[in-house]
Structures are given as C-alpha cells and as structure tokens.
Amino acid sequence: MAAGATPTHEEKDTESPKTSLYEGSTQFRHWRFSPEQLRTARTSLNTAAVEAIRNAFEADSAGSSSEVLFLSADEENLLVKLYVSKITQLCGLFRFPEEVEATAMTYLKRFYLKNTVMDWHPKNVMLTALFLATKTTNHPIPLEAYTSRIPKTSPSDVLDLEFLVAQSLGFDFAVWHAHRALWGLWLDIQSLPDISMEELRKAYETALTHVRASRLTDAEFIYTPSQIALACLSLAAPQIATAWATFKQDFAQSSPSSTPSAQPDSGLAAVLEFIKTMILTNGSPPNVEAVREVDRRLKICKNPEKVVGSNAYKRKQDEKERKAEEKRQRKAELARKAMAEGDPFGSELAKEDLDDDDD
Amino acid sequence: MFRAPLQRSLAAVSKTRQVGPQNTFQWTTNVRCESCIDRLFTLGPAPCPICGKTLRKLAFTPQTFEDLGVEKEVAVRRRIAKDFNKRPEDFPDLRAYNDYLEEVEDITFNLINDIDVPETEARIAKYKKENAALIELNIQREEQYAQYLKEQEDSERLEREQRAEELRRLDEEEREEREKGKQELIDKLETSDKDAIKLVARARAEAHKRASARIASSNPSLSATNLARARATQAAAMPDVPHVPIQDDWYAYEDKYVVRDTYDDPVSEAVRRDREGIMRAGGYRVEEAWERALRCAIAGLEIPPLQGLHAVESPSPDVVMAVA
C-alpha cells in the first residue's frame, strides 16, 4: 500500500484500554494473514510435501519419481476451491442453513493451510468439514442420515478424518461470518434517514450473492467480516454503502468515548477496493476441466504413505510399530531396574533421564 | 454317649474360665449338643469327656455365628474391650495412642490364634494392675455417656408426643368450634328476621377471625424451635458475601451502534410471528440476534489488513476517500 500513512487508526486503537471482541477471537489471532504470508505458507507446504513424497517414491523403487509431475501450490489451491464450491451443492441437498455452509467452507480452507491435498484428498475432508460444521453451529444431524444421502460414502469416511480436521483447525471452531455482518448492515441501514426500503432490499439480495462469492476467495484470511460485508454492499449499491460509512463515522465522532477524526476514513475505502477486486476476479468456481486435469495428476502423485496397501504405507506402519515397541521395551527396562533397586516407584525423579519422547 | 456335633440347631460353645492365678482362658468345642451339656454338667463342674478339662454349665453360651472362629473372635474382643478402654484424650499425643492400639491388637490377635497364651495373659494382667484406676474411670465415663444418650432420646420422644398431643387437641377444638358456629348460625336463621345472606357472611367472617387467631396463638411454640434451629445453622454457615460477577476487559463496540426496537427483517420474521413461542423456548431473543449482527457489522471495520511476510500492522494508506 501507499506510503505516507495517517496514524488515525493507531490513535483510535490505543485510546480504548479494552480488547475488542473481534480482536480477541481465534479468527483474528490465528487465522489472519497478509497475502504474502498466505502465498509463502502454501508454497512452503507444497515444497515440503513434494520433497517427502519424492523420498517415499524413491524408497519404494529408486528413480521412480523423476517422471512424476507433482502439483504446484496453485494447482492445489484450485482443487480445494472446487471442493469449497461443492459444499454449497451439498448444503442445498440437506437444506442446511447458511451458517453451516459458511462454517464448513472456512474449515475446509483453513485445513488446507496446514495440510496438502497430496496427503489428504479434499473430497473426504470436505465431507468431514461439513459434518463437523453441522455440529459446531448447532445444526446436528445423525451420521447415518448424513452419509446415506451422499453416494459412495460410509460413516467411517467421515469419522476417520474428524479428529485430524479438528486438530488442523487448532480446535478453533467459532467463525465470524461476513453474511452475519451483512445482516447487521441491513438492519443498521434502516436507522439511516430517508432510505428506500425497496432499494435496500434489492441491494441486500445482490450483496448476499457477493458475500457467497467471497467465500471462494482468500478474503476472510486477510480482511475482517465487516469489511467484506461492506465491500459486498458497496458492489451492489455504492451510494448506500457510502451513506452508511459516513453515518457511522459521524456516529463515532458524536459519541464521547472516541476522538473525532478530521477526515473521512481513507484506509477503509482502499481496503474495500481491494476486497471488491478480489471478489470480482476470484469469486467464481474454478473451471471443472482444469480441475479434472489436476485431479488426474493427483492420482499419480498422492503420498504413497497414505495409500492403504502400498509398500510405502506398510513401511510407514512397520516403522511406527517398531518405534512403539522400542518405547515399550525402554519403559519395561526402566521399571525392571526400579524394581531391582527395591523401589517399585522408581528412584527420585531428578536422577531419571527424562523419557518424554512423543515421536 | 453324646451325639455328633452340629446335629441340633441350638448347639452351644463351651467357654470356660479356669479359676487360678494365671486366669487363663480356654476354648473347647468338643461338647456342643444341648442335651449332652445338660447330661454332663447339670450336677456341677465336670471334666470334658474328650480333653479332660473341667467345665461348667454356666460357661456355655448360645452360638450366634455359624463360624466358630468368628464366635471366638467376638468373645475375645468383647473381653479385651472391657479392660482396654483407654481413649485418645488419655494419651499425650496421637503416636502414643496408636502404639497403644497396636498393642491391644497384638494381644487380641495372640488370644484369637492361641499364640503365646500364657505370656499374653500375663501382659493383660499386668496392664490391668497398672491401669486399674483409669479403667474404672473410663467405665464410668462410658456409663455416663450412655446415660446421657438415653436421656436425650427420652426427652426427644417426650417432645414429639407432646407436639402430637397438641396438634390433636387443636384439631379437636377447631372441629368443636366449627360445629358450634354452624349450630349458632342455624339457630339465628331460625329465630332472627334479618337477611339470611348477611347472617351467613358474618358467621363466615367470625369463623375466619377465630381461625387466624388460633394459628397466631399456636405458632409461637413451633416458631421458637424453628428460630433456634435457623440460628444454629446460620452460625455454622459461611457469611454470605455479595456476588461480584467476573469483570472482563472486552470491548463490545457498544458505542458504535444503537439497537432499535424493531426492524423490517425477513430473516427473523418466522421467529417474531411465532405466537406460542416454540422457537423462543430455549431463551432465544430476536433482539439479541439483531444486536449480534449489528456488532458483527461494525466489528473490526477499521482494522487494516496485514502486510508483508512479517506480519506488521499495515499503515492505513493515504488514499482519498471514495467509498464505492
């Protein structure tokens, strides 16, 4: 962004000693990134995964990985985006409310900031994320009822990944959604003087489609839900959005707790422009043909350690088994030694070498 | 000869205390059938036909437990407890008391399992001689305590009876009064030429007044005990500190929006129209949902996005305001 900053925001922030609710949320603390951070995270995740999978291939049979064309970070993202868009179809099938849909989409996107599609295919992760979202947003549905309506899916497909997904999310289940912010806008704009309800209704409808489109983008990782909602409204009805923003600014000035800012909030305007561009350029589902090509290649470059029945999978399991066995033996040895020394509870803690290895 | 043991349900265990300087304590279980005991020992002390010990009929006690081992242990413990009756307050510290308990248990164990019986008996005798005064004192204490418990129980029972009696009396009085009132009313209706409805109303008012007076007069005795009880529990309970809710330091954007009483809102229409309140059963209030939405619309509106790799708060760019 441009240099020559006006320090209005900092002044506002430091003025109130309390932490605002949004800044206390896990969404703000754990899932807020700069565009550069997002890109780096995805690239490094992809590089590490490719490295690991290449090694697995080589371990299976030397030289076999040279022909394989691994997925790039962008291709991975494309695949994820397709499955994010599929959540909408599934929610339509089950008649889940918007809250569930939006939450599941966020979960899926967040999951692939910590994992790669080459390890976990998005199809099952999507089903799990949606099932998890039904529970966290208080719209639970029996697992049987859920899987029986999705073809070629068994309850174990959903449950096997559930803990992994929850863990990747860092158990941050609460999400602040842009559609709720948009609802708030709809309500609050009614407080504006001389507003045409007919116009507002139309603007709201259009803005809602933009909010839905924004879920296919990275907007929620970079901007706050209120900013996204206002940008969507601004796309639909610019003059209403401007009127509301000005109204809010006047409102803030008239209230005694905040310092009056002399000029209109230019920072916000710039932010809104970025979001609008983002929604317009990235807010549509990906081309299915392109994704199909990616998916075809994914079949080849899947992590063999995660494919049940392959040599690498077996080797990985054996390795795990061996490590567990070693650990057990070490423990038994310690216990035996302690018994020999006459104290069944072992000697003093300080003398023991700390055996605290979680592989 | 005598019958085989345990043939009759009323078997007895022979327990005899030989008179002698050692004051030993012997158990024989050779004779257990009642008729045999009668036959052998009616004429005074006689030797046991099997082991030859001298036994008396008086020393036989009816068997309580099926297992003779238990029977014996109970008898031994009863005997030991009579002499070894010291209390915790008779010792300088807990350690001494525990040592004493251990010694008692040792002696009991020896007697039950017939280990070193002569030595153990000697220990008991020694203890008894040394602590004769204290044993006597503790026996008296026990008796006093038992007496005290008994008195308390008696007084409680008495009180209960009195209360029941009182209630019965009150009931009786009330019934009589009602009868009397009814009779009076009928008499008046017969003799007087006043309005019947008024008479009935006055009679009712009087009956009501009497009833409330009765309740007032009978209450004091009851409420006095209740009051005492309440005071006792109050003294035992913790003082009631005024509740202070947790004070958090969250800022919920209260100064940035005003919730109106009502909105044109299709989203919440179903909930607001729901007259029976089925949808609001769990405490759902549409005003709270509105407030949450408003808060969400304003929350973080001024937070600039992060910039660059190292997560610096981006300065707000100097772009001229052109919302939309």
Side-chain angles (χ1 to χ4, degrees), chain A residues 32 34 190 226-227 248 257 266, chain B residues 255-256 264 299 303-304 308 319:
Chain A
R32 177 171 174 255
S34 68
Q190 294 178 26
S226 52
Q227 288 165 350
K248 276 291 131 179
S257 64
S266 55
Chain B
D255 56 337
K256 297 209 175 158
D264 177 355
I303 296 176
V319 180

Side-chain angles (χ1 to χ4, degrees), chain A residues 182-195:
Chain A
L182 186 64
W183 184 29
L185 284 180
W186 152 267
L187 297 173
D188 208 27
I189 286 169
Q190 294 178 26
S191 305
L192 293 183
D194 43 80
I195 198 84

Side-chain angles (χ1 to χ4, degrees), chain A residues 6-178:
Chain A
T6 50
T8 43
H9 295 305
E10 281 70 11
E11 272 173 17
K12 254 189 224 164
D13 287 350
T14 48
E15 194 233 309
S16 140
K18 292 177 166 185
T19 318
S20 70
L21 278 182
Y22 181 72
E23 280 169 68
S25 68
T26 51
Q27 180 159 333
F28 180 84
R29 287 184 293 136
H30 304 155
W31 301 100
R32 177 171 174 255
F33 306 95
S34 68
E36 293 81 4
Q37 280 174 322
L38 271 182
R39 202 174 310 120
T40 319
R42 285 187 176 131
T43 320
S44 57
L45 198 62
N46 176 268
T47 319
V50 167
E51 183 77 14
I53 296 167
R54 197 184 290 279
N55 286 343
F57 273 130
E58 291 293 328
D60 213 6
S61 58
S64 61
S65 68
S66 56
E67 310 252 299
V68 179
L69 208 53
F70 288 99
L71 297 188
S72 72
D74 286 341
E75 285 165 333
E76 282 195 45
N77 201 15
L78 201 66
L79 194 60
V80 173
K81 197 168 161 184
L82 177 77
Y83 280 96
V84 169
S85 68
K86 282 195 172 171
I87 288 178
T88 311
Q89 298 167 19
L90 266 181
C91 286
L93 174 71
F94 285 103
R95 297 179 178 281
F96 285 145
E98 183 129 31
E99 180 85 5
V100 176
E101 180 184 336
T103 308
M105 286 174 158
T106 304
Y107 287 174
L108 189 58
K109 284 194 276 178
R110 286 182 183 180
F111 179 82
Y112 284 109
L113 285 182
K114 305 277 176 189
N115 299 277
T116 154
V117 296
M118 290 183 271
D119 280 350
W120 311 105
H121 196 280
K123 180 182 176 286
N124 284 351
V125 177
M126 173 197 70
L127 296 177
T128 309
L130 181 54
F131 186 63
L132 198 58
T134 62
K135 295 195 276 186
T136 56
T137 55
N138 206 8
H139 290 281
I141 162 173
L143 181 60
E144 296 295 333
Y146 180 66
T147 51
S148 64
R149 292 182 63 182
I150 304 168
K152 285 187 273 174
T153 309
S154 67
S156 74
D157 287 339
V158 174
L159 284 193
D160 286 351
L161 288 174
E162 192 172 45
F163 187 75
L164 176 80
V165 172
Q167 202 177 23
S168 296
L169 297 175
F171 304 96
D172 299 340
F173 294 131
V175 182
W176 289 61
H177 288 300

Side-chain angles (χ1 to χ4, degrees), chain A residues 217-342:
Chain A
T217 69
D218 286 336
E220 62 174 305
F221 291 129
I222 302 167
Y223 305 103
T224 65
S226 52
Q227 288 165 350
I228 298 172
L230 187 56
C232 292
L233 185 67
S234 177
L235 274 175
Q239 70 287 1
I240 296 181
T242 317
W244 183 79
T246 322
F247 170 68
K248 276 291 131 179
Q249 212 150 14
D250 295 345
F251 192 80
Q253 280 168 19
S254 61
S255 73
S257 64
S258 54
T259 49
S261 55
Q263 66 198 76
D265 205 338
S266 55
L268 180 60
V271 165
L272 293 188
E273 283 308 316
F274 278 115
I275 301 175
K276 283 195 248 180
T277 322
M278 191 178 234
I279 292 174
L280 291 180
T281 50
N282 295 328
S284 51
N287 179 359
V288 178
E289 274 313 308
V291 180
R292 196 164 287 157
E293 160 67 19
V294 171
D295 204 16
R296 200 160 33 237
R297 271 169 47 214
L298 177 60
K299 284 208 176 67
I300 304 163
C301 65
K302 239 192 295 196
N303 189 347
E305 286 176 356
K306 299 282 197 289
V307 181
V308 181
S310 73
N311 285 342
Y313 179 80
K314 234 182 285 167
R315 207 164 30 243
K316 182 90 178 175
Q317 292 301 322
D318 288 349
E319 175 81 357
K320 252 194 209 160
E321 186 58 31
R322 196 177 55 73
K323 269 194 181 151
E325 179 62 28
E326 244 174 37
K327 203 170 166 184
R328 267 198 296 278
Q329 270 180 1
R330 207 162 46 216
K331 219 167 181 178
E333 176 68 18
L334 270 174
R336 203 186 50 70
K337 215 163 72 191
M339 285 301 278
E341 283 168 7

